[in-house]
């Protein structure tokens, strides 16, 4: 059976590892963690990895860099000797195409226009550059009549190119029930049934934790009920 990524459980085709040499997580998950969450620790042992090396996953035959101090330092984006260096993730690649793919995923770009560029007849279309997420959202609305969910944009720790795009009707359905065409089937949604909403001010939140924080800080709660809830939580922990 093929090796799978310890984070996303997808087949391990490209692997990223640091000085701790744990080769169990795919390059996409490691890049997402380093770029989106600014977390430079190994997913397995939590060792701080200032630099990672990304290469083809070949089991015991995976290319190994045992001495990371031997890698070039104080360098910039692009070709470095026999490797390619990506500044945003502090990662070295031994494959140019995979380097370009990860670099593109970290870029602030319109996924609709990117797909158009993949078509031969649109190869000459000039790529629009966006300075911030506000410009991208404006472009999506004015050019494509599409929206990103602001709650998912804040709460889902994924690349911008992985965020779903909705029409206005689809976005409303996504927020209220979570079963828009874009969100996919029930299994694909992973139990998502819409963003929870505050019943007092009718404001939606990304998840239950965010809603709980809002309720605790913006609305009054019964201290007696809260004390009982804390006691019950303690009892459940003691019984496990």
């Amino acid at each position: 059976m093929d090796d799978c990524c310890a984070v996303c459980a997808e087949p391990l085709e490209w692997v990223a590892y640091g000085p701790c040499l744990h080769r169990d997580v795919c390059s996409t998950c490691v890049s997402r963690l380093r770029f989106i969450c600014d977390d430079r620790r190994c997913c397995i042992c939590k060792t701080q990895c200032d630099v990672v090396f990304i290469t083809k996953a070949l089991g015991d035959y995976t290319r190994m860099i045992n001495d990371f101090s031997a890698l070039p330092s104080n360098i910039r984006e692009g070709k470095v000797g026999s490797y390619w260096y990506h500044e945003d993730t502090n990662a070295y690649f031994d494959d140019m195409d995979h380097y370009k793919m990860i670099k593109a995923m970290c870029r602030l770009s319109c996924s609709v226009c990117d797909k158009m560029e993949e078509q031969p007849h649109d190869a000459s279309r000039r790529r629009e550059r966006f300075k911030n997420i506000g410009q991208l959202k404006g472009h999506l609305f004015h050019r494509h009549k599409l929206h990103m969910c602001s709650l998912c944009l804040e709460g889902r720790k994924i690349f911008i190119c992985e965020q779903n795009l909705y029409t206005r009707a689809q976005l409303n359905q996504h927020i209220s029930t979570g079963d828009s065409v874009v969100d996919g089937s029930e299994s694909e949604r992973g139990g998502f049934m819409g963003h929870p909403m505050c019943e007092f001010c009718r404001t939606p939140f990304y998840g239950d934790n965010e809603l709980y924080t809002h309720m605790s800080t913006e609305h009054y709660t019964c201290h007696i009920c809260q004390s009982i809830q804390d006691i019950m939580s303690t009892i459940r922990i003691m019984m496990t």
Side-chain angles (χ1 to χ4, degrees):
M1 188 169 109
D2 293 336
D3 290 335
C4 294
C5 171
V7 174
C8 67
E10 293 293 328
L12 195 59
E13 184 176 359
W14 295 91
V15 65
Y17 61 87
C20 59
L21 303 182
H22 284 117
R23 298 168 289 166
D24 306 283
V25 182
C26 72
S27 59
T28 301
C29 285
V30 170
S31 298
R32 188 186 293 116
L33 188 70
R34 295 171 74 84
F35 181 71
I36 304 296
C37 304
D38 195 27
D39 188 344
R40 304 302 170 99
R41 297 174 299 170
C42 170
C43 297
I44 305 301
C45 66
K46 300 305 179 183
T47 296
Q48 184 73 16
C49 298
D50 295 329
V51 176
V52 293
F53 186 74
I54 296 178
T55 186
K56 191 79 171 178
L58 299 172
D60 293 336
Y61 299 97
T62 300
R63 186 173 186 175
M64 296 300 296
I65 301 293
N66 294 309
D67 185 9
F68 275 71
S69 63
L71 292 171
S73 58
N74 298 322
I75 59 174
R76 295 183 178 180
E77 183 79 31
K79 188 77 161 61
V80 181
S82 59
Y83 303 130
W84 287 264
Y85 179 72
H86 185 227
E87 286 185 334
D88 289 332
T89 55
N90 293 115
Y92 287 89
F93 297 73
D94 62 0
D95 183 89
M96 181 181 67
D97 291 335
H98 196 61
Y99 156 74
K100 289 182 177 179
M101 189 199 81
I102 294 296
K103 183 179 179 180
M105 294 183 75
C106 295
R107 188 178 61 239
L108 191 63
S109 65
C110 171
S111 57
V112 179
C113 291
D114 288 345
K115 291 179 181 178
M116 290 180 180
E117 282 192 352
E118 294 174 2
Q119 303 300 320
H121 64 278
D122 285 318
S124 61
R125 183 186 295 271
R126 188 173 69 86
R127 182 189 300 275
E128 292 198 41
R129 298 182 180 276
F130 307 100
K131 294 181 180 180
N132 52 56
I133 192 65
Q135 286 188 354
L136 174 57
K137 291 170 73 173
H139 164 85
L140 284 168
F141 174 71
H142 294 293
R143 177 70 65 84
H144 308 295
K145 302 302 179 187
L146 293 173
H147 307 264
M148 284 189 287
C149 174
S150 297
L151 298 172
C152 290
L153 198 60
E154 179 70 23
R156 292 186 72 194
K157 303 305 179 183
I158 58 177
F159 293 114
I160 293 296
C161 62
E162 296 176 314
Q163 294 283 355
N164 289 331
L165 301 178
Y166 305 89
T167 64
R168 172 53 65 182
Q170 290 170 343
L171 179 60
N172 291 336
Q173 187 176 356
H174 161 79
I175 293 175
S176 60
T177 61
D179 60 352
S180 75
V181 174
V182 179
D183 292 309
S185 64
E186 186 174 352
S187 60
E188 291 171 331
R189 298 195 305 272
F192 177 71
M193 299 177 64
H195 294 292
M197 184 173 296
C198 173
E199 60 182 298
F200 299 104
C201 57
R202 307 305 297 169
T203 301
F205 291 87
Y206 177 70
D208 292 333
N209 291 337
E210 289 77 10
L211 175 60
Y212 177 79
T213 299
H214 165 79
M215 296 290 289
S216 300
T217 56
E218 300 298 326
H219 302 292
Y220 289 107
T221 57
C222 174
H223 67 279
I224 298 176
C225 292
Q226 185 61 51
S227 298
I228 295 175
Q229 184 177 351
D230 293 340
I231 293 172
M232 295 303 295
S233 297
T234 303
I235 293 174
R236 282 195 294 269
I237 293 172
M238 294 176 63
M239 294 179 63
T240 58

